[in-house]
Amino acid sequence: MAKLDRLLDDAERLSHDGKSVLSRGEYTDKPILFTASQMKSFTPDRIMKMRRAFSTRSVYLADPHIFVGQAKMMEDFDDDCVQKTEYSSAFPSYAAMNTLQLRTYFTWRTKLRGGQLEKTSLSYAYVYIFELLNLVGASTPDEAFTKLRDFFSAYGELDPSVLVYRARWLTDFAVTYRLTKRYAELPYENSLQRSGAVLSQPDKYADDEILRAVEDFSSYSLMHSSSYKKNPALVARVAGELVKEVDRLFASSGGFAGHYCRRKKKSYFTFAGAVVESRPVTGCVNVDLPDGRSFYCLNGHWLATSFEKNAAASRDLGALIRCADIIIREKLKLKSAIKPVPLNISLKNSLSACVDRVFEQAKRQSIKKKIDSVKIDFSNVDAIRSASDITGEKLMTEEDKTGSPGAENALNSPALGADKESGGEKIENADCGKSESPVGTTVGASVVTKHGSAGTKTVEENDEPLWKRILRLLLDGGNAEKEAAAAGIPISMVCDEINEMFYDEFCDIVIDFDGDKPFIISDYAEELRGKLT
């Protein structure tokens, strides 16, 4: 008796608004939301008939058979209830909803079918998905797949939590109904499945995608190495070329994915987590998806084969990627070295050739980029020439225009070594004694001098090609920029010409730039000096 008194006291303390719900021998009045007549008028006839036709004594309210029967009965039902309420259930179904929840759902579905998508309780959204998975609201499996895919995409923007089962249920639906044309549209259930698909067909993907896929399966991370931080594009290019090369090398035994991306077969339950009526499957069914997954069914028992990370395969791939990183670091001349690991000789040769090829291509692209960056604008050449002619004419004196005897005297002056007796028709050759040529016809033999900062040089000496003079100045530490400017040619253009000239011999550029200042690469300095002798 004492225990009963304590229970009544506790109930009174927990009562609403301080009023007793339970008391010793007393009951309190509570407001009725709907009278019997109001409830009858509030519940549409179709809903009442559905409940009577599929009443169940089962404790499992989300029974797929009952759900499908009720869904088909309510397939074309529309509602416009003003009142709304929320609904939450682990396995949502019509049988678990009260009248207001049913009317809220059907009103939301009516708007959805009319093109008006609104966010609602997640359980309502799942009920709509379950309808389509059971072909309710669609005349064919292909139409149902399209509606499912579009709904997941659109409603996923309002509530991303609806996407948890998207990949699995769309895959199960396409496999169950053999929608072969839809296999290529199926989303990946997780990142490992996508990475396996990339490495199964590396020729279809970009280098950075291949590198990310390798990261998922390899025990050694190339993306966290110093070489990747130094030149991520180049390292991604090496990874892409390496995977493609190994894929060709092992083409007869499963390719790259066959060696480094293991797949595992295990029991599989279609439409896990969904309220879907099972379809009887007789005989044997075998489905292979383009991404490398496969499904096998024998008399209703399903097996699925998918990518899984394997410790041994991960170590083998890690060793290959580690060796690649060692070679890349050597090529980039990074000081941080890593310990080498043993590797199959054929793989090692393929790896070395692959890295060499990628670096060679990178050098050629670098040279081409520098050459392409030099642009000369010829659009104003005619205007410049016209302005030059006008300026030159304005600078000419009257004597220049009419001709002056002073010019003739200058040509015959003793300073040019002219023979007085010959009247200026012959001059003395600077190197070869007497010459019978008229004055000025042999430029190389003229004694006309040019004074520069290094002393007096003959025109013959300055007839040395500009590239040689620039190369000599760079080797000797002279002012190559000034020499190029005096010739009216950008220093970068001259250096690019020299690089092109010697590329076939050195397979590399011989002049590089530190900002705008050119310098000779020290490895080639002595050989280049020999070219000038």
Side-chain angles (χ1 to χ4, degrees):
M1 192 67 179
K3 291 183 178 179
L4 178 59
D5 290 339
R6 284 199 301 272
L7 287 173
L8 291 173
D9 290 339
D10 292 340
E12 187 169 353
R13 282 196 301 271
L14 296 172
S15 63
H16 299 287
D17 302 326
K19 296 180 180 179
S20 176
V21 177
L22 293 173
S23 62
R24 292 177 176 84
E26 294 183 8
Y27 294 92
T28 58
D29 294 335
K30 289 294 176 182
I32 298 175
L33 296 177
F34 293 98
T35 64
S37 59
Q38 287 175 331
M39 179 60 74
K40 185 175 181 180
S41 62
F42 180 76
T43 307
D45 291 339
R46 182 78 73 87
I47 292 179
M48 295 177 67
K49 289 179 181 179
M50 176 195 72
R51 283 180 167 165
R52 285 196 297 268
F54 293 94
S55 60
T56 177
R57 296 174 185 174
S58 173
V59 294
Y60 183 47
L61 297 177
D63 183 278
H65 176 71
I66 296 173
F67 177 83
V68 173
Q70 291 178 326
K72 289 186 179 297
M73 187 172 180
M74 306 299 290
E75 185 172 12
D76 59 350
F77 178 71
D78 294 333
D79 203 351
D80 59 354
C81 182
V82 177
Q83 291 180 277
K84 296 180 182 180
T85 187
E86 296 181 350
Y87 173 54
S88 178
S89 175
F91 292 93
S93 65
Y94 304 118
M97 286 190 263
N98 60 36
T99 301
L100 183 57
Q101 288 170 338
L102 285 169
R103 295 204 63 182
T104 300
Y105 169 70
F106 288 124
T107 301
W108 173 81
R109 190 184 72 175
T110 300
K111 293 180 180 179
L112 174 62
R113 289 177 174 178
Q116 183 179 348
L117 178 63
E118 296 177 352
K119 186 176 181 180
T120 186
S121 298
L122 185 61
S123 293
Y124 290 139
Y126 276 131
V127 169
Y128 178 72
I129 292 170
F130 295 163
E131 288 178 353
L132 292 174
L133 291 175
N134 287 285
L135 298 183
V136 175
S139 56
T140 64
D142 193 72
E143 181 187 352
F145 182 92
T146 300
K147 288 184 175 181
L148 278 167
R149 181 199 61 196
D150 295 345
F151 178 75
F152 272 121
S153 178
Y155 196 80
E157 295 182 2
L158 300 178
D159 187 357
S161 57
V162 80
L163 301 175
V164 173
Y165 292 100
R166 179 186 64 163
R168 185 179 182 112
W169 288 347
L170 285 177
T171 300
D172 292 348
F173 191 87
V175 170
T176 300
Y177 290 98
R178 317 290 191 279
L179 302 179
T180 55
K181 294 182 180 180
R182 300 289 191 172
Y183 290 165
E185 301 178 32
L186 297 176
Y188 300 101
E189 191 168 355
N190 52 54
S191 63
L192 198 65
Q193 301 307 318
R194 172 172 175 75
S195 296
V198 171
L199 298 177
S200 296
Q201 297 176 307
D203 290 330
K204 295 183 178 181
Y205 297 92
D207 296 329
D208 56 338
E209 290 182 284
I210 295 175
L211 177 57
R212 287 195 296 270
V214 168
E215 289 287 299
D216 279 340
F217 285 96
S218 173
S219 61
Y220 182 85
S221 176
L222 192 56
M223 294 181 72
H224 289 87
S225 69
S226 58
S227 56
Y228 182 79
K229 295 174 182 176
K230 171 93 173 169
N231 196 330
L234 186 64
V235 172
R237 180 65 176 160
V238 170
E241 288 296 316
L242 176 60
V243 170
K244 293 171 186 176
E245 182 72 23
V246 174
D247 191 62
R248 289 188 289 268
L249 186 64
F250 295 146
S252 60
S253 55
F256 185 94
H259 278 72
Y260 300 111
C261 309
R262 302 294 172 82
R263 292 183 289 179
K264 187 176 181 180
K265 183 182 291 185
K266 56 186 177 181
S267 295
Y268 188 79
F269 299 94
T270 57
F271 301 109
V275 180
V276 177
E277 190 173 25
S278 61
R279 297 178 69 252
V281 179
T282 57
C284 178
V285 175
N286 195 5
V287 177
D288 294 319
L289 299 182
D291 60 11
R293 291 178 293 169
S294 62
F295 296 86
Y296 175 79
C297 181
L298 181 61
N299 297 325
H301 179 65
W302 285 90
L303 295 173
T305 303
S306 58
F307 291 104
E308 287 195 1
K309 197 166 183 176
N310 179 275
S314 180
R315 284 195 301 271
D316 291 343
L317 178 56
L320 177 65
I321 300 303
R322 187 186 185 92
C323 288
D325 194 21
I326 292 173
I327 300 176
I328 293 172
R329 291 182 187 217
E330 291 175 354
K331 292 282 186 180
L332 294 176
K333 298 180 180 178
L334 298 177
K335 294 182 179 179
S336 56
I338 54 178
K339 185 178 178 181
V341 292
L343 190 67
N344 179 284
I345 187 65
S346 60
L347 276 177
K348 195 169 185 178
N349 292 337
S350 298
L351 174 59
S352 299
C354 178
V355 176
D356 289 342
R357 185 168 62 251
V358 171
F359 271 79
E360 181 67 23
Q361 291 171 353
K363 286 180 180 178
R364 289 184 179 275
Q365 290 172 358
S366 176
I367 294 173
K368 186 178 184 302
K369 186 177 179 180
K370 288 181 178 179
I371 294 173
D372 293 343
S373 66
V374 179
K375 298 185 182 298
I376 302 175
D377 186 7
F378 293 100
S379 59
N380 294 323
V381 170
D382 292 337
I384 293 172
R385 286 175 176 169
S386 177
S388 175
D389 292 341
I390 294 172
T391 303
E393 187 172 349
K394 288 181 178 180
L395 293 174
M396 290 178 66
T397 63
E398 194 62 33
E399 291 181 352
D400 292 331
K401 294 178 181 179
T402 58
S404 171
E408 183 178 352
N409 293 336
L411 288 175
N412 295 325
S413 66
L416 295 180
D419 190 341
K420 293 180 181 179
E421 294 181 0
S422 64
E425 293 182 359
K426 297 179 184 178
I427 65 172
E428 175 131 4
N429 190 292
D431 299 317
C432 306
K434 300 289 183 179
S435 171
E436 299 299 327
S437 302
V439 175
T441 57
T442 308
V443 176
S446 174
V447 294
V448 177
T449 60
K450 177 182 178 180
H451 297 279
S453 59
T456 302
K457 296 183 181 179
T458 67
V459 173
E460 182 179 15
E461 289 174 351
N462 281 328
D463 278 348
E464 183 181 44
L466 178 62
W467 70 266
K468 278 192 175 184
R469 302 203 302 273
I470 295 296
L471 186 59
R472 193 186 307 279
L473 287 169
L474 289 173
L475 288 168
D476 296 337
N479 195 336
E481 295 94 325
K482 184 177 180 181
E483 183 72 16
I489 299 176
I491 185 66
S492 60
M493 183 181 294
V494 182
C495 292
D496 286 337
E497 180 184 349
I498 296 171
N499 280 332
E500 280 290 303
M501 188 181 304
F502 291 108
Y503 186 81
D504 289 338
E505 181 176 350
F506 292 96
C507 294
D508 194 4
I509 59 174
V510 295
I511 301 175
D512 205 347
F513 281 81
D514 182 8
D516 295 330
K517 186 173 181 62
F519 65 91
I520 298 290
I521 296 176
S522 59
D523 293 346
Y524 311 124
E526 290 304 319
E527 292 182 68
L528 290 173
R529 197 177 294 278
K531 303 291 182 183
L532 298 176
T533 57

